[in-house]
Amino acid sequence: MNVADVPVIDIAGLAGFDAMVKNAIAAQIDSACRGAGFFYAANHGLDLKALQGMTMDWHHAMSVEEKKELAIHAYNQASPRHRSGYYMAIEGRKANESFCYLNPAFSTEHPAIVDALPAHEVNVWPDPHRHPGMREFYEAYYRDVSGVAALILRGFAIALGREERFFEPHFSSEDTLSAVSLIRYPYLEDYPPVKVAPDGTRLSFESHQDVSLITVLYQTAVPNLQVKTAEGFLDIPVADEHLLINCGTYMAYITYGYYPAPEHRVKFINAERLSIPFFVNLSHSSAIVPFDVAADGPAEVSAAVPYGHYLKHGLAHLIRSNGQT
Ligand SMILES: [Fe+2]
């Protein structure tokens, strides 16, 4: 009752060579994305307990001064960064805080950084003497979760009737604009005012669609997410051993809504917990021509929207409608 149907899909077979197994996984992905829009990826091989432990410890070890130093422009006018860095909590106003980082390949010598292309930034990290091993841990996580995402995208490609490696040229380790957000929701004796949805539900983040191709999410096992369906908002069950997957609006765009980006929201819960999305983004110049899945062929379309353009406008729109996170 009031719970969304979120299947658990074993994705390990996507790494193998058995076409029947892969087709069966793709069929499960297809039915999840045509249904409530979320599924859990099981057997992903990531150490999520280590991710939870490291992130919880690190958030607690950060001083306000360190957070300020790493803050993005919205929280520190002196910062030139808009994506990578710390997103502050504001006492009495905003409880959650987060640290976002981008592709570790974006160094000062990376062509996109040299050319100052939008949405590309060199990551900032806290002082390695105070937070030893942090950068190495999260750069490894970026690489590992990218691998899981690439595997899941194989399933999507098969499900969409494309060649298995359809997404690979667009999702490259050198150029992907993907981002990890280490979001902490604290427990507070005195919680700042929270948003209230039109149906009276108290919220931490209002209803939205993700700006991504797909999103790969780890969360502490505290129920909070709801997805909008024909029957209204339904609870998404928790499973902290799996990764929660949903489509973003770029997937909806290239498939003409065959796989919609599900609308979802975060319920307010006063509990210490983490939410760690990996927003799977393509390269700046990637432009996938939308295709008609049902007609099994390319549709009559105008030029494809390049991913860099989509991301910039999509993120700006999300901040305008749901506020700065
Ligand atoms: Fe979301």
mmCIF file of all heavy atoms in Angstrom, residues 64-82:
data_model
loop_
_atom_site.group_PDB
_atom_site.id
_atom_site.type_symbol
_atom_site.label_atom_id
_atom_site.label_comp_id
_atom_site.label_asym_id
_atom_site.label_seq_id
_atom_site.Cartn_x
_atom_site.Cartn_y
_atom_site.Cartn_z
ATOM 1 N N VAL A 64 33.805 24.487 10.032
ATOM 2 C CA VAL A 64 33.068 25.494 9.255
ATOM 3 C C VAL A 64 34.030 26.268 8.349
ATOM 4 O O VAL A 64 33.710 26.579 7.198
ATOM 5 C CB VAL A 64 32.299 26.458 10.190
ATOM 6 C CG1 VAL A 64 31.617 27.564 9.402
ATOM 7 C CG2 VAL A 64 31.273 25.687 11.006
ATOM 8 N N GLU A 65 35.236 26.551 8.862
ATOM 9 C CA GLU A 65 36.235 27.299 8.070
ATOM 10 C C GLU A 65 36.628 26.507 6.816
ATOM 11 O O GLU A 65 36.732 27.061 5.729
ATOM 12 C CB GLU A 65 37.501 27.578 8.900
ATOM 13 C CG GLU A 65 37.314 28.564 10.038
ATOM 14 C CD GLU A 65 36.461 28.008 11.174
ATOM 15 O OE1 GLU A 65 36.615 26.806 11.510
ATOM 16 O OE2 GLU A 65 35.614 28.758 11.712
ATOM 17 N N GLU A 66 36.836 25.212 7.005
ATOM 18 C CA GLU A 66 37.205 24.377 5.854
ATOM 19 C C GLU A 66 36.077 24.349 4.817
ATOM 20 O O GLU A 66 36.320 24.422 3.611
ATOM 21 C CB GLU A 66 37.483 22.940 6.318
ATOM 22 C CG GLU A 66 38.811 22.756 7.027
ATOM 23 C CD GLU A 66 38.977 21.314 7.467
ATOM 24 O OE1 GLU A 66 38.262 20.884 8.411
ATOM 25 O OE2 GLU A 66 39.805 20.606 6.870
ATOM 26 N N LYS A 67 34.846 24.230 5.313
ATOM 27 C CA LYS A 67 33.696 24.182 4.396
ATOM 28 C C LYS A 67 33.615 25.484 3.602
ATOM 29 O O LYS A 67 33.392 25.466 2.392
ATOM 30 C CB LYS A 67 32.396 23.963 5.186
ATOM 31 C CG LYS A 67 32.288 22.590 5.818
ATOM 32 C CD LYS A 67 31.068 22.500 6.715
ATOM 33 C CE LYS A 67 31.026 21.186 7.471
ATOM 34 N NZ LYS A 67 29.904 21.120 8.431
ATOM 35 N N LYS A 68 33.794 26.594 4.290
ATOM 36 C CA LYS A 68 33.760 27.921 3.634
ATOM 37 C C LYS A 68 34.826 28.031 2.562
ATOM 38 O O LYS A 68 34.579 28.541 1.467
ATOM 39 C CB LYS A 68 33.989 29.006 4.691
ATOM 40 C CG LYS A 68 32.715 29.643 5.193
ATOM 41 C CD LYS A 68 32.778 31.171 5.009
ATOM 42 C CE LYS A 68 31.407 31.796 4.955
ATOM 43 N NZ LYS A 68 30.911 32.156 6.277
ATOM 44 N N GLU A 69 36.001 27.550 2.895
ATOM 45 C CA GLU A 69 37.126 27.615 1.964
ATOM 46 C C GLU A 69 36.844 26.844 0.673
ATOM 47 O O GLU A 69 37.308 27.214 -0.400
ATOM 48 C CB GLU A 69 38.341 26.996 2.651
ATOM 49 C CG GLU A 69 39.653 27.677 2.355
ATOM 50 C CD GLU A 69 40.687 27.170 3.335
ATOM 51 O OE1 GLU A 69 40.749 27.699 4.469
ATOM 52 O OE2 GLU A 69 41.383 26.214 2.970
ATOM 53 N N LEU A 70 36.099 25.741 0.814
ATOM 54 C CA LEU A 70 35.804 24.886 -0.341
ATOM 55 C C LEU A 70 34.482 25.239 -1.007
ATOM 56 O O LEU A 70 34.097 24.624 -2.003
ATOM 57 C CB LEU A 70 35.738 23.422 0.098
ATOM 58 C CG LEU A 70 37.006 22.778 0.646
ATOM 59 C CD1 LEU A 70 36.716 21.351 1.089
ATOM 60 C CD2 LEU A 70 38.093 22.766 -0.419
ATOM 61 N N ALA A 71 33.765 26.214 -0.448
ATOM 62 C CA ALA A 71 32.383 26.471 -0.883
ATOM 63 C C ALA A 71 32.302 26.906 -2.343
ATOM 64 O O ALA A 71 33.217 27.534 -2.881
ATOM 65 C CB ALA A 71 31.747 27.525 0.004
ATOM 66 N N ILE A 72 31.187 26.563 -2.974
ATOM 67 C CA ILE A 72 30.922 27.042 -4.331
ATOM 68 C C ILE A 72 30.514 28.513 -4.263
ATOM 69 O O ILE A 72 30.259 29.059 -3.185
ATOM 70 C CB ILE A 72 29.804 26.211 -5.018
ATOM 71 C CG1 ILE A 72 28.493 26.274 -4.209
ATOM 72 C CG2 ILE A 72 30.254 24.775 -5.230
ATOM 73 C CD1 ILE A 72 27.266 25.868 -4.997
ATOM 74 N N HIS A 73 30.412 29.127 -5.427
ATOM 75 C CA HIS A 73 30.138 30.561 -5.531
ATOM 76 C C HIS A 73 28.878 30.996 -4.774
ATOM 77 O O HIS A 73 28.855 32.055 -4.143
ATOM 78 C CB HIS A 73 30.017 30.933 -7.018
ATOM 79 C CG HIS A 73 29.854 32.389 -7.247
ATOM 80 N ND1 HIS A 73 30.920 33.275 -7.213
ATOM 81 C CD2 HIS A 73 28.743 33.130 -7.492
ATOM 82 C CE1 HIS A 73 30.468 34.491 -7.435
ATOM 83 N NE2 HIS A 73 29.159 34.438 -7.612
ATOM 84 N N ALA A 74 27.844 30.165 -4.828
ATOM 85 C CA ALA A 74 26.576 30.530 -4.172
ATOM 86 C C ALA A 74 26.749 30.741 -2.663
ATOM 87 O O ALA A 74 25.963 31.453 -2.038
ATOM 88 C CB ALA A 74 25.528 29.450 -4.427
ATOM 89 N N TYR A 75 27.800 30.141 -2.076
ATOM 90 C CA TYR A 75 28.013 30.249 -0.631
ATOM 91 C C TYR A 75 29.272 31.021 -0.263
ATOM 92 O O TYR A 75 29.555 31.225 0.914
ATOM 93 C CB TYR A 75 28.074 28.846 -0.002
ATOM 94 C CG TYR A 75 26.756 28.127 -0.128
ATOM 95 C CD1 TYR A 75 26.548 27.194 -1.129
ATOM 96 C CD2 TYR A 75 25.703 28.437 0.729
ATOM 97 C CE1 TYR A 75 25.319 26.571 -1.273
ATOM 98 C CE2 TYR A 75 24.482 27.811 0.599
ATOM 99 C CZ TYR A 75 24.297 26.882 -0.406
ATOM 100 O OH TYR A 75 23.082 26.278 -0.542
ATOM 101 N N ASN A 76 30.036 31.383 -1.290
ATOM 102 C CA ASN A 76 31.247 32.179 -1.064
ATOM 103 C C ASN A 76 31.541 32.942 -2.357
ATOM 104 O O ASN A 76 32.031 32.361 -3.329
ATOM 105 C CB ASN A 76 32.413 31.259 -0.681
ATOM 106 C CG ASN A 76 33.711 32.033 -0.497
ATOM 107 O OD1 ASN A 76 33.755 33.252 -0.691
ATOM 108 N ND2 ASN A 76 34.765 31.322 -0.142
ATOM 109 N N GLN A 77 31.209 34.217 -2.359
ATOM 110 C CA GLN A 77 31.287 35.025 -3.584
ATOM 111 C C GLN A 77 32.693 35.035 -4.186
ATOM 112 O O GLN A 77 32.852 35.292 -5.373
ATOM 113 C CB GLN A 77 30.841 36.468 -3.293
ATOM 114 C CG GLN A 77 29.439 36.577 -2.696
ATOM 115 C CD GLN A 77 28.354 36.095 -3.655
ATOM 116 O OE1 GLN A 77 28.198 36.623 -4.735
ATOM 117 N NE2 GLN A 77 27.616 35.054 -3.258
ATOM 118 N N ALA A 78 33.694 34.743 -3.361
ATOM 119 C CA ALA A 78 35.078 34.759 -3.866
ATOM 120 C C ALA A 78 35.402 33.504 -4.676
ATOM 121 O O ALA A 78 36.408 33.451 -5.375
ATOM 122 C CB ALA A 78 36.051 34.882 -2.696
ATOM 123 N N SER A 79 34.540 32.482 -4.572
ATOM 124 C CA SER A 79 34.818 31.232 -5.272
ATOM 125 C C SER A 79 34.387 31.329 -6.729
ATOM 126 O O SER A 79 33.270 31.749 -7.036
ATOM 127 C CB SER A 79 34.078 30.074 -4.597
ATOM 128 O OG SER A 79 34.126 28.936 -5.430
ATOM 129 N N PRO A 80 35.253 30.883 -7.647
ATOM 130 C CA PRO A 80 34.876 30.896 -9.061
ATOM 131 C C PRO A 80 34.091 29.644 -9.465
ATOM 132 O O PRO A 80 33.628 29.528 -10.591
ATOM 133 C CB PRO A 80 36.238 30.913 -9.771
ATOM 134 C CG PRO A 80 37.153 30.171 -8.847
ATOM 135 C CD PRO A 80 36.640 30.404 -7.441
ATOM 136 N N ARG A 81 33.947 28.701 -8.542
ATOM 137 C CA ARG A 81 33.350 27.413 -8.879
ATOM 138 C C ARG A 81 31.842 27.387 -8.627
ATOM 139 O O ARG A 81 31.374 27.914 -7.625
ATOM 140 C CB ARG A 81 34.028 26.297 -8.077
ATOM 141 C CG ARG A 81 35.447 25.984 -8.571
ATOM 142 C CD ARG A 81 36.231 25.113 -7.631
ATOM 143 N NE ARG A 81 36.604 25.832 -6.435
ATOM 144 C CZ ARG A 81 35.958 25.800 -5.290
ATOM 145 N NH1 ARG A 81 34.916 25.022 -5.144
ATOM 146 N NH2 ARG A 81 36.356 26.522 -4.275
ATOM 147 N N HIS A 82 31.113 26.780 -9.581
ATOM 148 C CA HIS A 82 29.652 26.698 -9.458
ATOM 149 C C HIS A 82 29.162 25.268 -9.274
ATOM 150 O O HIS A 82 28.024 25.041 -8.889
ATOM 151 C CB HIS A 82 28.981 27.310 -10.693
ATOM 152 C CG HIS A 82 29.195 28.788 -10.788
ATOM 153 N ND1 HIS A 82 28.309 29.696 -10.258
ATOM 154 C CD2 HIS A 82 30.209 29.505 -11.306
ATOM 155 C CE1 HIS A 82 28.759 30.923 -10.471
ATOM 156 N NE2 HIS A 82 29.908 30.839 -11.099
#
